[in-house]
Amino acid sequence: MAFLEHKPVHVRQRIALVITFSVLVLLILALILVYSHPKKRDDKNKSMTKIGEFYATILENAQSYFGKKSDIIKE
């Protein structure tokens, strides 16, 4: 950074802080834009993950203990 050598140290520090905070703001905006849009699901890939398979198995086993929803919650 030869073009900043003639400036005082406090000015160079201020320039560095401005650049740092502007990059921070840009990164935060990029994260907001990326995570605010919903992900598009790929219908071609319907394979379940191991956790999904485990959850489905537990859910099926738990439902087999009860006949109907009214058996679980008495009205």
Side-chain angles (χ1 to χ4, degrees), residues 63-74:
Q63 286 176 347
S64 69
Y65 289 115
F66 304 103
K68 302 176 191 171
K69 185 178 180 182
S70 62
D71 292 341
I72 299 172
I73 302 171
K74 299 289 182 186

Side-chain angles (χ1 to χ4, degrees), residues 13-30:
Q13 288 175 344
R14 187 164 300 192
I15 291 171
L17 282 174
V18 168
I19 291 172
T20 302
F21 283 116
S22 61
V23 168
L24 176 71
V25 168
L26 287 175
L27 288 175
I28 290 173
L29 288 175

Side-chain angles (χ1 to χ4, degrees), residues 2-3 6 21 27-28 31 39 46 51 57 64 72 74:
F3 66 93
H6 66 281
F21 283 116
L27 288 175
I28 290 173
L31 285 173
K39 290 184 179 179
K46 292 188 178 183
I51 295 173
T57 304
S64 69
I72 299 172
K74 299 289 182 186

